[in-house]
Amino acid sequence: MKKIIIVEDDDIQVFILKKYLSNLNQGTIKVEFFENGLEAINYIKAHLNTPKLLPDKIILDINMPLLNGWQFLTEFHTLEISKDICIDILTSSENPSDIEQAKYYNLQDHYHLKPIHFEEFKILMMD
Amino acid sequence: MSPTKIIANYELLLQCNRQALIGFWSVNLRDEDIFWSDTTRLIHEVEAHFTPDLESAINFFIEEDRPMINEVFHDCYTNQKPYDVSLRIKTAKGNLKHVRAIGQPLFYNDEVVGVHGTFQDISEQIKKENQFKEALLIASEQNYKLKSFNHIISHNLKSTAGNISSLLTLMKMDIPEIEEHELFDKLVKSSNQLTNTLKELNDLLIEDAKIKENKISLNLYHLTNDCFEELEFLAQANQVVLYNQLPKDLTIISNVSFVKSIFYNLINNAIKYRDDRKAESKLEISLLNENKHEVNLSFKDNGMGIDLEKHKDRIFNAYTSFHTNKNIESRGLGLFMVKNQVETLQGRIFIDSDVNKGTHFKVSIPKA
């Protein structure tokens, strides 16, 4: 079973993505939501030794309280993780500085702009 | 030099001093002899033959600045170190002035006997400098506000507009029959308008960062055709004929996204504000002339035109639309963006227009 973590602080956006998930209507993906980068990084740190509980993919918002997307990534890359985790950015920011940051993390091809449409989301989840 | 000439030169020097508000002075500490020139007196606003002693001369400086003048003066006398400082004095009439005081050791028979130098009233310069600093501060504050505004737009407003758009899509999936409802259709349209306006506004605000993008060689004839192609559907639907009369080899080195946006907006404008009563609605794009530095382009349409008498000052302002035609979807950002982009490229734009006859834009863009 594939596991995906979605880090998103906006309630409505979470609602929309959950709705998309229910319309996706398939049981081979387990999705867990976190409200900000700090909660997500704490989860990952707590399960470093149980790869089964670590995600295959993280869908990451940038602008979040406590630990934003870039701060999350900085910490994430200091961790020793035995599993290959794919990162996708999902943001409404088109700021050049954010796009530069994405290039720095080699995520320019994993940079998705909100609003994300259902079909796009489907591809993102199945990929 | 003849004595007359010396006197003439001396007069000239005094005149220069007065005009530049530079006075001279000397202090001979040996025999406690102090000399002030007329201009030095003028700056201190004292009477014509006033000569101070050392203490009263120092006391013209405001209290805060006295330690500084004492120090540099002493250093100059004992260590032969010249000084050049900016200080404040309070004149005999009680006015505060900014002065530049320059001092050098005064020699007599190879021995330092005192200090002499010049005294310049720089109050005006300081005042201008302060005004400039203040203006700069205001500009930086505004810039900061603009950046915060940009942040609000790109994060908060855009996310919310995106959410509304997604929710509407979900609504349609969950309740297919809602699409039939008039209100739903209006809601979708409003949501799309909101998204587009925010996108335009966002593009506008991040232009500063974009200008650093590399300039490339641009063939304006092909660029025009590209824009025509993108707007072809709109032009055909509205029966507007587009004429590209630019020379096929017209090439400049510029920022592609800017130039394209300028062309796109001006063409779009001509289509939007066409005059359906004309037998043929048209837009002609041509080269007026070119020189070593720039190309002068012409965008001429036979559309509705704008009443320049009434609107001249506001024509390129944001959120200004001069037409009340309900069929036109206008957010009033088009010309504002065009002017902004032309000026960012260090070009110029002029408008000439007659109501019911048409509009003529002349755009100068630097060649490199």
Side-chain angles (χ1 to χ4, degrees):
Chain A
M1 181 124 120
K2 195 152 95 177
K3 186 176 166 118
I4 296 179
I5 280 182
I6 299 179
V7 195
E8 173 62 63
D9 67 314
D10 179 2
D11 288 350
I12 307 278
Q13 181 68 17
V14 169
F15 171 84
I16 290 164
L17 297 182
K18 280 185 176 163
K19 199 89 179 150
Y20 281 172
L21 282 170
S22 70
N23 282 338
L24 211 62
N25 199 18
Q26 54 82 47
T28 57
I29 305 172
K30 187 174 163 26
V31 182
E32 201 159 342
F33 284 84
F34 291 96
E35 262 181 49
N36 56 60
L38 190 65
E39 278 191 14
I41 203 80
N42 284 343
Y43 174 87
I44 290 168
K45 280 179 183 166
H47 299 93
L48 275 180
N49 297 321
T50 14
K52 216 178 72 179
L53 291 173
L54 289 175
D56 299 281
K57 176 183 275 218
I58 299 172
I59 297 175
L60 190 63
D61 185 20
I62 293 177
N63 194 39
M64 290 179 294
L66 299 178
L67 205 64
N68 71 29
W70 302 125
Q71 291 164 333
F72 169 86
L73 276 181
T74 310
E75 278 218 32
F76 179 77
H77 284 295
T78 63
L79 302 176
E80 282 207 24
I81 302 170
S82 51
K83 196 170 176 176
D84 240 359
I85 300 178
C86 168
I87 306 277
D88 277 284
I89 304 288
L90 179 58
T91 177
S92 54
S93 169
E94 284 179 86
N95 279 357
S97 68
D98 283 330
I99 292 162
E100 275 308 304
Q101 281 270 36
K103 281 183 192 156
Y104 173 78
Y105 285 109
N106 211 10
L107 290 173
Q108 63 271 31
D109 299 329
H110 294 263
Y111 196 91
H112 311 273
L113 278 178
K114 287 179 195 166
I116 188 166
H117 300 296
F118 179 66
E119 291 304 319
E120 237 179 303
F121 182 71
K122 202 162 137 187
I123 296 168
L124 194 59
M125 297 304 283
M126 298 302 186
D127 201 10
Chain B
M1 210 184 279
S2 74
T4 356
K5 199 147 186 211
I6 291 176
I7 290 170
N9 281 346
Y10 182 67
E11 283 296 322
L12 194 65
L13 180 65
L14 285 183
Q15 219 179 324
C16 288
N17 284 332
R18 264 197 302 275
Q19 273 168 15
L21 287 178
I22 300 177
F24 36 71
W25 53 270
S26 74
V27 177
N28 186 328
L29 289 164
R30 280 286 164 80
D31 42 23
E32 297 252 328
D33 182 29
I34 293 186
F35 166 77
W36 272 16
S37 79
D38 288 347
T39 311
T40 303
R41 290 195 184 102
L42 194 73
I43 295 170
H44 285 85
E45 296 183 319
V46 291
E47 55 202 59
H49 299 288
F50 176 86
T51 301
D53 55 29
L54 191 58
E55 197 192 338
S56 63
I58 294 281
N59 282 344
F60 274 103
F61 291 95
I62 65 163
E63 215 175 322
E64 283 168 74
D65 289 356
R66 270 176 227 158
M68 164 78 102
I69 190 67
N70 277 324
E71 190 192 322
V72 292
F73 188 89
H74 184 75
D75 210 21
C76 185
Y77 180 61
T78 45
N79 304 320
Q80 291 154 48
K81 210 171 135 193
Y83 63 84
D84 183 348
V85 289
S86 172
L87 300 165
R88 289 157 295 175
I89 60 166
K90 197 167 190 181
T91 69
K93 289 184 180 165
N95 295 317
L96 186 76
K97 284 184 179 176
H98 290 268
V99 295
R100 178 179 178 187
I102 296 178
Q104 283 178 349
L106 177 67
F107 288 95
Y108 183 74
N109 288 341
D110 289 340
E111 221 184 309
V112 183
V113 295
V115 178
H116 66 161
T118 59
F119 209 70
Q120 184 182 11
D121 185 349
I122 53 167
S123 304
E124 275 305 305
Q125 282 107 300
I126 296 277
K127 199 169 131 196
K128 278 185 191 137
E129 220 172 89
N130 285 341
Q131 280 169 351
F132 180 71
K133 275 184 198 157
E134 210 172 298
L136 195 67
L137 194 71
I138 292 171
S140 341
E141 269 172 21
Q142 300 279 25
N143 200 27
Y144 177 75
K145 276 188 202 159
L146 197 63
K147 275 189 184 149
S148 324
F149 186 58
N150 187 5
H151 183 85
I152 292 170
I153 286 179
S154 58
H155 284 114
N156 307 14
L157 282 179
K158 257 171 74 194
S159 312
T160 309
N163 283 348
I164 293 173
S165 153
S166 301
L167 288 171
L168 286 170
T169 312
L170 283 171
M171 206 166 164
K172 205 161 66 182
M173 285 166 88
D174 275 16
I175 323 165
E177 65 272 20
I178 198 146
E179 251 191 290
E180 310 293 320
H181 203 290
E182 191 190 17
L183 286 176
F184 187 77
D185 181 53
K186 298 271 184 269
L187 208 52
V188 170
K189 269 193 188 139
S190 304
S191 160
N192 288 344
Q193 263 175 24
L194 179 64
T195 307
N196 286 338
T197 306
L198 287 176
K199 179 152 179 39
E200 279 179 0
L201 210 49
N202 188 60
D203 287 350
L204 204 68
L205 288 167
I206 59 178
E207 264 176 15
D208 274 353
K210 270 193 189 162
I211 187 67
K212 287 177 194 146
E213 267 177 32
N214 288 335
K215 292 178 171 183
I216 57 163
S217 172
L218 288 176
N219 179 307
L220 294 182
Y221 175 80
H222 293 308
L223 185 126
T224 303
N225 279 349
D226 288 348
C227 290
F228 281 0
E229 231 164 79
E230 280 176 39
L231 289 162
E232 195 181 14
F233 177 76
L234 201 62
Q236 270 175 9
N238 295 299
Q239 297 182 320
V240 178
V241 188
L242 305 169
Y243 294 96
N244 182 356
Q245 294 164 346
L246 294 173
K248 288 192 174 154
D249 60 350
L250 185 63
T251 304
I252 62 170
I253 295 169
S254 201
N255 182 303
V256 61
S257 47
F258 275 35
V259 177
K260 197 158 179 193
S261 165
I262 293 163
F263 275 61
Y264 187 93
N265 269 301
L266 288 176
I267 297 167
N268 197 14
N269 224 59
I271 299 173
K272 249 199 246 172
Y273 302 114
R274 70 194 175 276
D275 183 352
D276 285 328
R277 292 167 303 179
K278 303 270 160 67
E280 182 194 67
S281 287
K282 60 180 177 178
L283 168 72
E284 294 166 358
I285 303 179
S286 59
L287 176 68
L288 286 174
N289 54 58
E290 60 179 312
N291 58 36
K292 244 190 344 202
H293 309 292
E294 58 186 19
V295 291
N296 289 310
L297 307 167
S298 156
F299 294 75
K300 194 174 184 180
D301 68 46
N302 63 348
M304 296 191 232
I306 302 165
D307 188 347
L308 287 183
E309 293 281 306
K310 268 195 206 157
H311 304 301
K312 191 149 192 140
D313 299 335
R314 299 185 301 138
I315 209 110
F316 292 109
N317 287 1
Y319 301 111
T320 316
S321 190
F322 302 99
H323 302 279
T324 44
N325 189 334
K326 290 227 171 63
N327 297 320
I328 298 173
E329 192 195 311
S330 169
R331 288 182 295 275
L333 272 179
L335 289 183
F336 175 65
M337 282 186 60
V338 168
K339 188 175 162 74
N340 225 296
Q341 287 164 332
V342 168
E343 284 176 355
T344 313
L345 294 174
Q346 310 205 314
R348 285 157 299 143
I349 181 162
F350 304 100
I351 180 173
D352 200 1
S353 189
D354 280 311
V355 176
N356 297 332
K357 282 188 186 157
T359 305
H360 189 182
F361 287 102
K362 290 174 196 163
V363 183
S364 305
I365 304 176
K367 276 185 171 172

